[in-house]
Amino acid sequence: MSCCFGSSLTNFERFLQCITPVVPSKNVSQSCISDLNTRGQPLGKDTVEYFTLKDLWDCYKEWSAFGAGTNVMLESGESVMQFFVPYLSSIHIYSDKPVAPSRNRREEGDGVELESDTWSDDSGSDNSSPSLSNNSSKSWDAVSEDSNCDQDGSWSRKNRPGYLYLQYTEVSSPYQRVPLVQKIDELARTHPALMTLRSIDLSPASWMAVAWYPIYSIPSVKNEKDLETCFLTYHTLSSSFQDNMEEYQDIELGKCMCCCCGGGAQKKEPVGEKLTGGGGGWMSVPPFGVATYKMQGDIWVNPESWDSERLTFLYGAADSWLKQLNLYHHDFNFFTFHSAL
């Protein structure tokens, strides 16, 4: 449940390491997924590495039950293990090909509304699914292929998001939410492909955001406001972005990545390199964007490091991503307007 203790890393760097899933991966011939190249992003290699969404969710099981522990050095020189629980903040899944719709039924109960998927191969634009949230209020704007075509950085007609399979945004209070794995299990009841889709099946517009809320520290620390900091991390779910993410990791983090995934196993490898081990390969799914809430003082942002620049970069990446897709993200807006409260 705990992550590395690298003394050369800052608290923020250790947090990023500890919440980065490391997922079992497989390889497939590029010729088998030639459709990926139709989006104007040539892969440039014979094989493509991918992971299954189910394996990704498995990485969050222990974190959802006990929290992900990251070592934090306090200003007093004391070291504590701070634990965070992941909650699914938002997820948008677009497939390169239509996914078979789930059973055609509608359920209502406990404030949750679920509807089956609808698909149209003949449509000139993709249909948007209804919001799947714990509140009936609309907290997001559907992605439209026909909108924002003239705006810089937005999706053009030749780079359409794909076929929308699932769009979910959480808008309820953190105290009313359930941990990520439990929420995924709920969504999978009406969207079973959440357990079978692979990263190579998803378009570049597929992503998720995870809200990390602190639960406790060991040893317990009183009156340490900065340990109340909450984080919001953004992760791509598509193989189309893997090469770009590796380059981003090399430039932006420049450190080793480690993570506790699957029974508390720890893995350390250089950023940007594929992780290999007995029985198969591994892929890290690091955040490309970050937002914070209740961040105070210098515990998370070391003034003698690149933490401030790194955090600014990651926040800007998340903001740019949402604007590119013309999306309203409830948690991002809340974190932005209450970041230092």
Side-chain angles (χ1 to χ4, degrees), residues 89 174 177 210-214 229-234 290-295 315 329-341:
S89 176
R177 302 183 185 189
V210 181
W212 299 87
Y213 294 107
T229 301
C230 306
F231 295 90
L232 186 63
T233 60
Y234 291 77
V290 173
T292 64
Y293 170 52
K294 290 186 177 181
M295 179 177 283
Y315 174 83
H329 185 194
H330 178 272
D331 283 350
F332 181 81
N333 281 28
F334 183 86
F335 277 38
T336 295
F337 292 116
H338 302 84
S339 59
L341 297 181

Side-chain angles (χ1 to χ4, degrees), residues 23-291:
V23 191
S25 67
K26 296 181 181 180
N27 292 301
V28 65
S29 171
Q30 181 177 329
S31 61
C32 297
I33 53 170
S34 58
D35 288 344
L36 287 180
N37 289 325
T38 63
R39 298 185 177 279
Q41 298 184 12
L43 297 175
K45 53 187 177 182
D46 296 333
T47 61
V48 178
E49 196 167 16
Y50 71 91
F51 59 86
T52 66
L53 291 186
K54 183 182 184 303
D55 285 338
L56 178 62
W57 311 140
D58 285 344
C59 285
Y60 288 90
K61 280 187 176 180
E62 188 172 353
W63 294 339
S64 295
F66 305 104
T70 178
N71 188 49
V72 179
M73 297 296 297
L74 304 180
E75 293 179 341
S76 63
E78 182 183 3
S79 175
V80 301
M81 184 65 66
Q82 181 67 33
F83 287 84
F84 295 83
V85 172
Y87 295 86
L88 184 63
S89 176
S90 187
I91 185 169
H92 294 241
I93 293 183
Y94 289 86
S95 61
D96 286 310
K97 298 179 180 179
V99 179
S102 56
R103 54 187 180 277
N104 184 22
R105 67 187 183 91
R106 179 189 181 98
E107 296 181 359
E108 293 188 27
D110 299 327
V112 179
E113 181 176 304
L114 302 175
E115 290 192 11
S116 61
D117 312 303
T118 57
W119 307 100
S120 175
D121 294 342
D122 306 320
S123 174
S125 62
D126 301 330
N127 294 325
S128 295
S129 306
S131 173
L132 303 179
S133 66
N134 284 354
N135 288 335
S136 59
S137 60
K138 184 176 182 180
S139 62
W140 49 267
D141 296 324
V143 176
S144 173
E145 295 180 19
D146 299 321
S147 63
N148 299 319
C149 291
D150 297 327
Q151 297 182 17
D152 293 337
S154 61
W155 293 100
S156 63
R157 289 181 181 275
K158 66 180 180 180
N159 289 320
R160 294 179 174 178
Y163 296 89
L164 179 61
Y165 179 65
L166 171 64
Q167 183 167 264
Y168 170 89
T169 294
E170 183 65 80
V171 298
S172 64
S173 164
Y175 301 102
Q176 297 176 321
R177 302 183 185 189
V178 296
L180 185 144
V181 168
Q182 186 175 341
K183 176 57 66 175
I184 289 296
D185 288 341
E186 290 179 7
L187 295 176
R189 294 170 190 168
T190 53
H191 295 76
L194 272 175
M195 298 299 179
T196 58
L197 283 169
R198 306 168 299 174
S199 57
I200 53 174
D201 301 323
L202 307 181
S203 84
S206 300
W207 61 281
M208 72 171 179
V210 181
W212 299 87
Y213 294 107
I215 50 175
Y216 60 85
S217 61
I218 300 178
S220 178
V221 179
K222 296 181 179 180
N223 302 321
E224 186 55 71
K225 296 296 184 182
D226 223 12
L227 291 181
E228 298 177 1
T229 301
C230 306
F231 295 90
L232 186 63
T233 60
Y234 291 77
H235 306 257
T236 179
L237 299 176
S238 171
S239 291
S240 298
F241 277 161
Q242 287 305 313
D243 289 340
N244 292 337
M245 285 304 299
E246 289 171 14
E247 180 179 355
Y248 147 74
Q249 292 176 51
D250 283 332
I251 296 174
E252 188 54 29
L253 297 182
K255 301 282 186 177
C256 70
M257 297 294 288
C258 81
C259 174
C260 318
C261 175
Q266 297 186 7
K267 304 177 178 65
K268 289 186 181 181
E269 293 291 338
V271 173
E273 294 186 9
K274 292 292 187 294
L275 308 177
T276 58
W282 301 84
M283 296 177 68
S284 63
V285 188
F288 67 82
V290 173

